[in-house]
Amino acid sequence: MSKENFHKIDSFPHAHLLGIGDLSSHDINYLLDKSEQAIDISRQVEKKKTVLRGRTHINLFFEASTRTQSSFEIAGKRLGADVMNMSVSFSSVNKGETLIDTAMTLNAMRPDLLVVRHHSAGAVELLAQKVDCAVINAGDGAHEHPTQALLDALTIRRKKGKLARLTVVICGDVLHSRVARSNILLLNTMGARVRVVAPSTLLPVGIENLGVEAFHSMKEGLNGADVVMMLRLQRERMSGALVPSVREYSHFFGLDGDKLKFAKPDAMVMHPGPMNRGVEISSSVADGANSFIQEQVEMGVAVRMAIIEELVKPLNGDFDG
Amino acid sequence: MADRPVIIQNGHLVDPSQNIDHPTDILIKNGKIADLAPKSQQTGAPDGARIIDASGLHILPGLVDARVYVGEPGDEYRETISSASIAAAAGGITSFIMMPQTNPVIDDVSLVDFVCRAARDTAVVNVYPSASVTRGFYGEELTEFGLLQEAGAVMLTEGKHTIRNNLLLRRAMTYAKDFNMVISQESSDPDLASNGVMNEGLIATNLGLPGIPREAEIIPLERDLRLAALTGGNYHAAKISTSDSAKAVAYYKNNNHNVTAGTSINHLSLNEIDIGRYRTFFRLSPPLRSEEDRQAMIEALGDGTIDILVSSHDPQDVNTKRHPFAEAATGAIGMETMLAAALRLYHDEKISLSRLVEAMSTNPARIFSIPGGTLKKTSRADLTIIDLEKPWIMSEENILSKSKNTPFEQARFLGMVLQTMVAGRIIHNHNG
């Protein structure tokens, strides 16, 4: 009895990871602690656990992705799961099969985990309602990208030792960014001070009500920052006249050595990738001493291993028990 | 074969067209209202008459719904004219105007004729076709307003589209005026609305969904109103949803222009928060707005700025609704729940019953010049008998419409349609 209770407290009490919005600070700390342990596995010569042997992990990506998809694939494989990648292009979905039909088809193959990226906000949640296995949101429209926020938090926590009361600045296309939304939710939950810096056209309506301070100049926004997170500027956004040119955007909002001086000397520079060098970030900063961009990628695998294991493993217990 | 006379006794008649709101017996002969007798003058039933006892019940002129989408022709699996009419009868609606947004678009005399024939042969309520303003909704060439009217079209509208070209709209209003036809438009600026799927604001930002600003409705509405003032044409703002839209309409009304306005029952009953976690049955056009806007719609209905209330019945199947929110079709069915949802405003003492009847019956009949909306002597006996105090719960299995996309699933209502009559014949009877 007491053992059961203990398990309930020291565990992840969710069936899916659909967004940071569903998590408490306890859940986040728990996942970050688990991720720390996973880092060690990836640094061994034999990078393999067998805890998920015989489990089927499907990556279902409705949107092109190289980095996130391979990170999830490696994470699944290092835990011993059988990983399958399915890339569903938008056009084949339009041939008539609805998202739900696709989900039902995959569900019938009895996977243990679906990792889903979709171009529409809420799509992963919809899919999770229709399948019997665990679902991880690998990005849904401009809504959430929870594993990115968790890996960013892990990267920061390892360097700064904490998240609370740090000043974290998120710069760039917040309007279209699920990374920004997940990070804002996570950092607020953990008690960090969050700022966003962007031209007004790239900030969503009501952003101040999400518990962030909005700035329109890098000088003011970066002042005293502990962490600077740059967001990728999608070049296709240019067509919508949200910013007049790459040159102008880069001049005012691109992070270079001069602008970085406004932040604290030991400020961390982060970027979810892929970078547009010379647009939102200069090469000297991206490759400089303050950059944690490579570490983010490493932490990505660790965080994904931790969350996959948390969501899939409990079934094991059911079978054994 | 002449029907037996029918007398409805002991009921409370609410008919704003005659300023009646008191107990009245109604005698129906040959499908028409033969006599109305206030309680004090009741003389009993004529020989052989069928007696309906409406003690404790209210009798309303049948509702006239000026905005109903049907899938016939083209998408009969969503709704046919027949199935729509059965759903209408269950909601106390005895006449509706059918939107031209079908496949093909109703832009030609032969298609208007098709609708009239299909309605005559298969519908249990009166179905009036409307026609598009431009051929195929392309926004380029005007349709034949005069011939369409002769064939039976009662209104001109581009359905879910908004005419973009100012000159074309000016000419349409000017020309329609010669035939005394109303142009009814749902205003939405496609550039401002862009790829938006719900009301712009904090809730959209939280959900990561692209927003539609209120101005996407207000700016083209103000343009339409100005063109109505310029041309003197009859303009109807089909579905307004913001407080500023109501203000704009009020301004032009106060200056004696021929403008009228409507709103949908959804925008009186629901707000953007109801979308919850991406519930696609709440994806509507215009989008559900803030609570302040909803309250402004109730106020505008109460003070007469809004003339009519529509169901905006828009049947959508699973293949158009079971999608991620941004990819799902807009629209919700509504004929079966319009009256019940509107009665919430009566029970909450926000709007009087006679004002509701005016907005759902008297006014739409008057604005679009169609029979109905009144129970004056000699008028067609289209009416509905309701129990204002009967509670019920909306559940999917009871929906009569072919499509089930109601935003009122599991909603609790107070007030039920017990019987609906068209031309004196009972076409819906709640207890079988």
Side-chain angles (χ1 to χ4, degrees):
Chain A
M1 192 68 189
S2 62
K3 197 180 168 190
E4 264 181 36
N5 284 336
F6 175 75
H7 273 288
K8 270 179 189 159
I9 293 161
D10 188 25
S11 68
F12 185 69
H14 302 276
H16 310 291
L17 178 67
L18 300 176
I20 298 294
D22 305 325
L23 305 185
S24 66
S25 61
H26 176 87
D27 296 337
I28 292 165
N29 272 324
Y30 177 78
L31 286 178
L32 296 182
D33 292 346
K34 287 283 168 185
S35 305
E36 293 276 2
Q37 298 166 19
I39 296 168
D40 298 335
I41 299 164
S42 293
R43 289 181 177 177
Q44 292 167 10
V45 179
E46 189 189 327
K47 306 174 180 63
K48 192 88 170 175
K49 279 175 86 176
T50 54
V51 59
L52 297 190
R53 190 170 56 197
R55 298 313 185 89
T56 306
H57 158 178
I58 301 180
N59 284 331
L60 178 60
F61 278 60
F62 292 88
E63 221 180 48
S65 159
T66 314
R67 307 161 62 96
T68 306
Q69 188 171 332
S70 32
S71 181
F72 271 109
E73 183 175 353
I74 287 173
K77 283 181 172 165
R78 285 184 183 167
L79 293 168
D82 297 318
V83 184
M84 196 193 112
N85 288 310
M86 271 190 71
S87 296
V88 191
S89 68
F90 187 57
S91 61
S92 67
V93 173
N94 268 1
K95 280 177 189 157
E97 195 174 54
T98 67
L99 172 69
I100 290 169
D101 290 334
T102 308
M104 299 307 285
T105 304
L106 284 174
N107 192 49
M109 300 179 193
R110 298 188 164 272
D112 299 284
L113 173 69
L114 281 177
V115 176
V116 186
R117 171 171 285 189
H118 197 277
H119 42 81
S120 267
V124 182
E125 193 169 319
L126 178 67
L127 192 143
Q129 291 163 8
K130 306 289 173 187
V131 298
D132 304 316
C133 66
V135 175
I136 296 177
N137 180 0
D140 63 325
H143 180 225
E144 282 235 44
H145 188 359
T147 57
Q148 179 71 42
L150 287 164
L151 75 88
D152 288 342
L154 182 63
T155 310
I156 297 170
R157 202 180 76 166
R158 280 167 63 85
K159 167 70 177 165
K160 300 286 184 188
K162 61 172 183 179
L163 293 165
R165 290 182 298 286
L166 293 176
T167 299
V168 182
V169 187
I170 302 171
C171 308
D173 184 2
V174 178
L175 179 64
H176 300 97
S177 176
R178 52 194 172 216
V179 175
R181 274 180 188 69
S182 287
N183 265 313
I184 289 169
L185 289 168
L186 186 146
L187 292 164
N188 273 327
T189 303
M190 303 309 287
R193 300 189 185 99
V194 187
R195 298 178 189 164
V196 292
V197 183
S200 296
T201 45
L202 293 179
L203 288 177
V205 173
I207 185 81
E208 302 82 7
N209 297 321
L210 294 181
V212 304
E213 275 184 282
F215 294 88
H216 308 296
S217 102
M218 291 289 266
K219 184 177 178 181
E220 291 165 28
L222 292 191
N223 184 28
D226 295 295
V227 179
V228 183
M229 291 181 174
M230 301 307 297
L231 297 173
R232 174 180 166 77
L233 182 75
Q234 312 260 345
R235 282 171 190 260
E236 55 267 28
R237 304 291 180 219
M238 297 300 168
S239 60
L242 290 165
V243 289
S245 74
V246 172
R247 187 172 68 169
E248 175 150 317
Y249 180 81
S250 176
H251 177 75
F252 288 106
F253 296 97
L255 186 66
D256 55 19
D258 289 339
K259 294 199 191 84
L260 187 56
K261 284 180 190 149
F262 300 126
K264 284 185 183 166
D266 64 343
M268 300 171 70
V269 173
M270 300 170 71
H271 193 297
M275 290 180 281
N276 293 306
R277 288 174 182 261
V279 179
E280 71 264 1
I281 191 162
S282 73
S283 281
S284 60
V285 172
D287 304 329
N290 295 59
S291 170
F292 283 77
I293 296 169
Q294 294 308 312
E295 173 139 350
Q296 283 176 277
V297 178
E298 186 186 354
M299 293 308 118
V301 176
V303 159
R304 285 163 186 138
M305 284 173 73
I307 186 68
I308 291 172
E309 192 175 338
E310 269 322 302
L311 291 179
V312 179
K313 204 174 66 174
L315 291 169
N316 250 341
D318 290 348
F319 289 129
D320 294 347
Chain B
M1 186 187 86
D3 290 332
R4 278 166 72 194
V6 177
I7 184 156
I8 304 172
Q9 286 182 329
N10 306 320
H12 185 118
L13 175 64
V14 180
D15 183 358
S17 72
Q18 321 176 63
N19 286 318
I20 295 179
D21 188 353
H22 48 70
T24 306
D25 285 0
I26 301 168
L27 178 66
I28 299 165
K29 278 185 186 163
N30 300 320
K32 291 187 159 46
I33 304 293
D35 203 5
L36 298 175
K39 195 105 192 160
S40 56
Q41 301 163 19
Q42 281 157 11
T43 52
D47 289 343
R50 203 147 66 84
I51 298 169
I52 296 174
D53 180 17
S55 303
L57 305 178
H58 281 67
I59 299 143
L60 317 177
L63 306 186
V64 179
D65 191 345
R67 199 170 182 82
V68 173
Y69 292 90
V70 177
E72 185 175 356
D75 291 315
E76 286 83 357
Y77 69 96
R78 289 198 278 121
E79 194 87 287
T80 60
I81 289 172
S82 168
S83 66
S85 76
I86 292 165
I93 296 162
T94 53
S95 299
F96 67 77
I97 300 179
M98 182 181 134
M99 298 298 283
Q101 196 131 12
T102 48
N103 186 13
V105 172
I106 296 173
D107 60 357
D108 188 86
V109 170
S110 61
L111 287 156
V112 171
D113 193 51
F114 166 80
V115 173
C116 291
R117 284 166 189 274
R120 184 195 63 198
D121 296 343
T122 68
V124 297
V125 303
N126 310 294
V127 179
Y128 297 95
S130 59
S132 66
V133 181
T134 68
R135 283 186 194 280
F137 288 154
Y138 293 121
E140 290 160 4
E141 274 178 272
L142 296 184
T143 54
E144 298 158 323
F145 295 177
L147 293 175
L148 289 166
Q149 186 181 38
E150 282 184 5
V154 299
M155 177 180 93
L156 297 164
T157 178
E158 293 284 89
K160 298 178 187 180
H161 304 279
T162 303
I163 294 170
R164 211 161 170 159
N165 183 325
N166 297 343
L167 177 61
L168 182 99
L169 182 57
R170 176 187 179 175
R171 287 180 178 154
M173 284 187 185
T174 307
Y175 190 63
K177 190 182 157 194
D178 292 348
F179 298 97
N180 202 25
M181 286 189 92
V182 180
I183 291 183
S184 167
Q185 174 136 277
E186 178 184 329
S187 62
S188 174
D189 182 317
D191 297 314
L192 263 181
S194 185
N195 61 345
V197 296
M198 68 173 289
N199 190 38
E200 185 172 280
L202 183 61
I203 293 167
T205 297
N206 270 323
L207 291 172
L209 291 171
I212 301 172
R214 300 160 79 251
E215 286 68 18
E217 170 178 318
I218 299 160
I219 292 170
L221 173 66
E222 288 180 334
R223 170 203 67 168
D224 291 358
L225 293 167
R226 279 185 184 277
L227 288 175
L230 172 68
T231 59
N234 301 309
Y235 174 77
H236 179 70
K239 265 204 288 186
I240 64 171
S241 67
T242 77
S243 57
D244 289 323
S245 304
K247 279 180 204 154
V249 169
Y251 176 82
Y252 282 85
K253 282 189 155 187
N254 291 337
N255 286 285
N256 297 318
H257 297 298
N258 298 325
V259 301
T260 50
T263 192
S264 90
I265 186 65
N266 300 316
H267 293 90
L268 284 176
S269 311
L270 308 167
N271 67 28
E272 57 186 343
I273 297 167
D274 288 302
I275 290 168
R277 302 299 299 177
Y278 307 100
R279 294 157 73 189
T280 58
F281 287 5
F282 295 80
R283 181 164 180 206
L284 303 176
S285 174
L288 290 172
R289 304 286 186 186
S290 66
E291 177 59 12
E292 291 73 37
D293 281 322
R294 186 183 79 91
Q295 293 292 345
M297 291 303 97
I298 295 171
E299 197 178 314
L301 180 66
D303 70 22
T305 302
I306 290 176
D307 301 274
I308 72 171
L309 180 50
V310 296
S311 71
S312 202
H313 183 83
D314 189 355
Q316 297 291 337
D317 190 56
V318 282
N319 70 342
T320 48
K321 276 293 189 188
R322 254 175 40 149
H323 286 288
F325 194 85
E327 291 159 32
T330 61
I333 58 167
M335 285 197 286
E336 292 168 65
T337 47
M338 174 167 72
L339 178 59
L343 286 176
R344 287 175 171 174
L345 301 172
Y346 159 77
H347 288 296
D348 292 347
E349 298 180 353
K350 295 262 174 56
I351 296 183
S352 71
L353 184 58
S354 77
R355 176 74 195 114
L356 288 175
V357 175
E358 208 171 38
M360 289 187 285
S361 181
T362 326
N363 287 348
R366 173 177 53 80
I367 291 167
F368 300 105
S369 308
I370 57 182
T374 181
L375 294 176
K376 279 186 186 143
K377 254 192 219 182
T378 73
S379 59
R380 192 171 62 198
D382 293 356
L383 57 86
T384 184
I385 303 174
I386 63 171
D387 182 345
L388 281 176
E389 305 297 333
K390 190 174 173 74
W392 59 289
I393 297 173
M394 177 69 179
S395 75
E396 195 190 310
E397 61 262 34
N398 296 333
I399 294 175
L400 294 169
S401 170
K402 271 192 159 185
S403 295
K404 311 298 176 194
N405 54 311
T406 173
F408 292 104
E409 172 75 26
Q410 291 305 315
R412 285 161 163 71
F413 291 121
L414 195 57
M416 182 185 253
V417 172
L418 299 182
Q419 279 189 346
T420 305
M421 276 187 195
V422 167
R425 293 179 56 204
I426 297 170
I427 53 154
H428 171 79
N429 197 343
H430 171 63
N431 295 317

